Amino acid sequence: MKRSMRICAALVLLAGVCGPLDAQEAGDDAGPVRDLETLVVSGVQPGPGLWKVSTGSGHVMWVLGTVSPLPRRMEWEAREVGGVIAGAQEVMLAPGIDIDADVGFFGGLALAPRLMRARRSPDGRRLEEVLSPGEYARWSTLKRQYIGGDRGIEKWRPMFAAARLYQEAVEDVGLRTRGVVTPVVEDLARDHGVTVSRPMVELKIEDPKAAISEFSAAEIDDLACFSKTLDRVQDDLGYMRERANAWAVGDIEGLRSIPFQPFEDCEQAWASVQALSDRVGDLRAQRDALWLKEVDRVLANNRVTLALLPMEELFRPDGLAASLQARGYRVEAPGEYDAASPMDAPTPDDGVAPPAG
């Protein structure tokens, strides 16, 4: 039985989730780090209200803005979303990118050592040799705080080391990056027998071994990515916590006021890898174009659709919500539409349930 080998996803997971190549060794001395309180909301929380995207035909797409990370001990109530799904014809998950290589189960096992090596610095240099003295000192302090005495990570490429640091720091302050929203939405759709779709740019790597080998040997301009990620860990964890709390309690204005820190430097670092760019092109542009095409489809065919979309795409002046307005759709934030308007009110035969309030 064959399975898909997600090349880019696997490389990211190696940096942020998998253990080090070498055994962890203790012995680093403690250093001065800022004590960051980790008070985040817990228990059952309502989450934010829904955006409304509508057409003159009366068809509506309700959009739930998502953020990551979210409180680790929070249980999302999802009552409003559940009411929409009950009367919807389709649930559209957040857009994504799937880069795979059909190599079979044993082929995937054979590639695993190559993937493990891909996160290492190709010339064997350690982080202390790659980074400036000041940047390495900053890294060492944050590493002691959130990772501990792992010496193997010192042999990683900067972008992979930074990704691991980010993941550990997020978990340390009581947050998590996955498993809060999408599983609940999928379960609700399954309970109501509603179709689930996901706009997914699917690109197949025909020669995965060659791609990984090229990546392993490639020079990557990832020092800006590394530095910005350290900035986020030093300065943005408080914002992440506030953002997570605001999402949990449904504070839209609070979410608007908290700055988002995009990972553009890291995206540019990935884009600089010739071994990947030659094969896949501009993935973000492809993803956005596919999502907009899917929105056209669901608004033409469905009376009611629920869609998930990263919150920054709803807030940014050049985000996907702005693209929808440019295409002639009406986009309204929570509180800007009348939930009891004729367009939203269910009729005896359509089963459409609008969000409450």
Side-chain angles (χ1 to χ4, degrees):
M1 182 177 181
K2 293 185 176 181
R3 72 173 185 178
S4 294
M5 191 70 181
R6 273 74 174 175
I7 302 300
C8 284
L11 291 171
V12 172
L13 287 174
L14 285 171
V17 177
C18 297
L21 290 173
D22 300 333
Q24 292 190 10
E25 298 181 33
D28 287 330
D29 296 328
V33 291
R34 185 180 59 174
D35 181 21
L36 181 68
E37 294 183 3
T38 57
L39 298 177
V40 293
V41 299
S42 60
V44 179
Q45 300 293 338
L50 303 178
W51 270 252
K52 178 182 176 182
V53 180
S54 56
T55 69
S57 66
H59 291 190
V60 178
M61 182 177 76
W62 298 101
V63 180
L64 173 68
T66 61
V67 302
S68 178
L70 285 171
R72 185 169 64 236
R73 295 183 176 87
M74 179 195 81
E75 179 184 349
W76 179 38
E77 185 180 45
R79 181 182 302 174
E80 185 177 18
V81 164
V84 171
I85 291 176
Q89 289 74 56
E90 186 172 341
V91 168
M92 190 165 69
L93 302 181
I97 298 167
D98 185 14
I99 303 179
D100 67 86
D102 195 5
V103 294
F105 176 75
F106 291 106
L109 292 179
L111 286 179
R114 293 173 180 263
L115 289 168
M116 297 291 280
R117 289 195 298 270
R119 66 184 180 183
R120 283 184 171 179
S121 178
D123 53 12
R125 290 192 299 167
R126 302 172 67 86
L127 289 173
E128 188 173 13
E129 301 173 82
V130 175
L131 305 173
S132 68
E135 198 75 340
Y136 184 73
R138 192 162 69 117
W139 154 257
S140 297
T141 298
L142 293 171
K143 176 193 165 189
R144 286 194 297 268
Q145 169 83 8
Y146 297 112
I147 298 177
D150 177 358
R151 296 182 183 177
I153 198 172
E154 295 291 332
K155 300 176 183 178
W156 290 12
R157 294 176 188 258
M159 64 189 296
F160 285 98
R164 167 85 181 280
L165 175 68
Y166 173 84
Q167 185 66 36
E168 297 286 352
V170 163
E171 294 176 2
D172 192 72
V173 298
L175 303 173
R176 57 175 170 167
T177 56
R178 59 180 65 87
V180 179
V181 174
T182 301
V184 173
V185 169
E186 289 179 316
D187 287 345
L188 287 168
R190 189 179 304 112
D191 291 344
H192 292 288
V194 177
T195 298
V196 176
S197 64
R198 185 180 186 188
M200 182 76 71
V201 176
E202 296 182 354
L203 298 166
K204 187 172 182 178
I205 302 294
E206 299 292 346
D207 51 352
K209 292 182 180 179
I212 295 171
S213 295
E214 290 175 36
F215 180 90
S216 298
E219 290 292 330
I220 304 176
D221 184 12
D222 60 351
L223 293 183
C225 168
F226 180 87
S227 180
K228 290 293 186 181
T229 303
L230 263 59
D231 289 344
R232 292 184 185 95
V233 173
Q234 278 189 311
D235 305 325
D236 197 39
L237 284 176
Y239 284 136
M240 292 181 204
R241 190 182 58 218
E242 292 175 20
R243 190 181 304 119
N245 287 343
W247 189 96
V249 301
D251 181 3
I252 299 297
E253 291 310 309
L255 284 167
R256 287 186 187 276
S257 68
I258 301 169
F260 283 89
Q261 298 292 335
F263 284 86
E264 292 179 354
D265 296 288
C266 295
E267 292 176 0
Q268 291 172 5
W270 279 105
S272 71
V273 181
Q274 200 71 23
L276 294 178
S277 61
D278 286 350
R279 289 171 169 83
V280 302
D282 188 341
L283 292 176
R284 176 183 283 272
Q286 295 177 57
R287 182 203 64 184
D288 291 355
L290 177 61
W291 188 81
L292 292 170
K293 180 180 178 180
E294 285 296 283
V295 170
D296 290 340
R297 177 186 64 80
V298 300
L299 281 171
N301 298 334
N302 303 334
R303 259 190 72 78
V304 177
T305 303
L306 177 82
L308 305 184
L309 191 65
M311 191 70 76
E312 59 264 36
E313 296 290 350
L314 295 166
F315 289 153
R316 277 178 27 219
D318 60 344
L320 287 172
S323 297
L324 291 178
Q325 290 176 315
R327 293 164 88 90
Y329 294 117
R330 185 176 183 183
V331 179
E332 299 168 278
E336 294 179 352
Y337 53 81
D338 179 7
S341 70
M343 180 182 293
D344 302 322
T347 62
D349 61 348
D350 63 23
V352 177

